[in-house]
Amino acid sequence: MSFGTSVYDYIEHIVPKERIFLAEPMSGHTTFRVGGEAECLILVEHEEELLKLVPYFNQVGQDYFILGNGSNLLVGDKGYRGVVLKLGNGMNKITVQGNRICVQAGALLSKTAAAARDAGLTGLEFAAGIPGSVGGGIVMNAGAYDGEMKQITESVRVMDNDGKILILDNDTMEFGYRTSVVKNRPFIVLEAVLSLQTGEKEVIQAKMDELMAKRQSKQPLNYPSAGSTFKRPEGNYAGKLIMDSGMRGYSIGGAQVSNKHCGFIINTGNATASDIKEVIEEVQEKVKERCQVSLEPEIVFLGDF
């Protein structure tokens, strides 16, 4: 369903006008820095707003999308015919309680890792350089350098389509490689409790510095991207397969397979979403043809291309 007047009237009853944006360019809300307009973008600052909006949208058949930091997302050039619910600063609280951190979905993983370090808690160092939000990290079971959210998540508070609140423990989350029950069911992450271990701040910081140095040496961090474009195929690495297929540096328009790390597709400055999507599809085709491996994108595609 496309965005309508009655839906807008309802939104205005829930959210102040200054946090409702019509025809909002999504290029400013994704780390790829591309994407057309969302019919409506709402900056959500309170959990209660989600509790009122989401059940209503489901009831009337209004399309919507929950947005964190936009770090794993490609929005089409023709935009998104629906409502984007972007988690704002009122949804990013981080609270340390002993060796646990209670964190809202909108908080950045990097800031959560920094809060853990400041509290002398270890186990979240792997997430210090991941640009996504905690909510997105939980949904995708984000990970790097042998760490993943599954290892530290004690429980997750979610909301279903009807606005019912559920608390899911680690087992119920069904964490897998870049997936979870939240990715496969109509749940929205509101908050998570992360269980960590006591450590020394200096040691924790040294580990974070070490991992950041690795990232900087191996990844094209100076270009807009969505991080690793493809999931790791079983028993192999996407970047190696792409390089072996002769696709290193391959480009269409402003989208390019990074010369520094073939697992990244980057925006060299003037890419369109279509450029990026075409490079992804070309890479998949060549890797399948030359290595007999089907690469599955890790990123989410939204809207019309």
Side-chain angles (χ1 to χ4, degrees):
M1 171 180 168
S2 185
F3 186 68
T5 306
S6 59
V7 173
Y8 182 80
D9 290 343
Y10 180 82
I11 292 169
E12 266 201 324
H13 284 297
I14 308 299
V15 182
K17 253 186 177 178
E18 61 267 23
R19 288 198 274 115
I20 305 171
F21 304 89
L22 299 179
E24 177 68 10
M26 290 302 291
S27 55
H29 299 280
T30 71
T31 57
F32 257 136
R33 298 289 175 252
V34 300
E37 296 176 347
E39 283 189 296
C40 177
L41 182 142
I42 301 170
L43 197 57
V44 178
E45 296 289 2
H46 305 287
E47 193 176 287
E48 293 73 23
E49 293 168 352
L50 281 180
L51 293 173
K52 291 175 181 176
L53 291 172
V54 169
Y56 171 75
F57 289 164
N58 284 306
Q59 182 184 337
V60 300
Q62 172 63 54
D63 292 329
Y64 64 94
F65 183 82
I66 307 293
L67 179 68
N69 198 43
S71 62
N72 209 37
L73 181 67
L74 181 62
V75 181
D77 299 312
K78 295 176 183 174
Y80 174 60
R81 298 183 64 195
V83 180
V84 172
L85 296 165
K86 181 170 183 176
L87 305 184
N89 292 333
M91 292 284 292
N92 67 2
K93 190 176 180 183
I94 303 169
T95 307
V96 179
Q97 302 167 331
N99 72 329
R100 290 178 174 84
I101 293 185
C102 185
V103 55
Q104 289 183 300
L108 292 177
L109 283 165
S110 56
K111 289 193 174 181
T112 308
R117 174 203 61 208
D118 294 344
L121 296 175
T122 182
L124 198 51
E125 291 89 334
F126 74 88
I130 298 177
S133 64
V134 167
I138 292 287
V139 173
M140 295 293 294
N141 187 23
Y145 301 110
D146 299 321
E148 58 182 358
M149 297 306 291
K150 175 184 179 177
Q151 299 166 353
I152 57 170
T153 301
E154 182 174 299
S155 64
V156 182
R157 199 159 62 88
V158 302
M159 178 179 72
D160 69 9
N161 276 346
D162 300 320
K164 183 181 178 183
I165 304 294
L166 305 167
I167 296 178
L168 310 179
D169 62 17
N170 188 288
D171 288 340
T172 311
M173 282 297 299
E174 298 176 11
F175 284 121
Y177 176 62
R178 299 297 176 264
T179 190
S180 71
V181 71
V182 183
K183 190 179 180 190
N184 302 313
R185 295 272 300 275
F187 292 145
I188 295 169
V189 175
L190 299 175
E191 197 171 48
V193 176
L194 309 179
S195 181
L196 304 170
Q197 303 297 318
T198 303
E200 297 180 18
K201 289 183 188 180
E202 295 77 11
V203 176
I204 295 167
Q205 183 61 59
K207 182 67 174 177
M208 289 166 75
D209 291 343
E210 177 194 336
L211 295 182
M212 183 52 72
K214 281 185 180 180
R215 285 180 187 277
Q216 290 172 339
S217 68
K218 295 179 180 179
Q219 299 177 7
L221 301 182
N222 52 327
Y223 289 100
S225 77
S228 296
T229 307
F230 301 97
K231 294 181 181 179
R232 186 179 67 243
E234 192 171 341
N236 220 314
Y237 293 95
K240 183 180 185 306
L241 291 170
I242 294 166
M243 186 165 61
D244 291 347
S245 299
M247 297 296 282
R248 182 177 188 171
Y250 178 82
S251 64
I252 295 176
Q256 183 187 65
V257 175
S258 169
N259 282 299
K260 194 171 187 180
H261 189 316
C262 292
F264 284 63
I265 292 175
I266 58 174
N267 176 0
T268 60
N270 62 344
T272 64
S274 295
D275 290 340
I276 296 168
K277 189 168 183 283
E278 284 180 44
V279 170
I280 289 171
E281 291 168 350
E282 193 68 23
V283 165
Q284 286 176 303
E285 187 178 320
K286 285 292 189 291
V287 170
K288 179 68 173 175
E289 175 189 310
R290 297 178 185 179
C291 303
Q292 289 74 54
V293 176
S294 298
L295 290 181
E296 184 182 348
E298 188 173 306
I299 60 178
V300 175
F301 298 87
L302 181 69
D304 301 318
F305 288 81

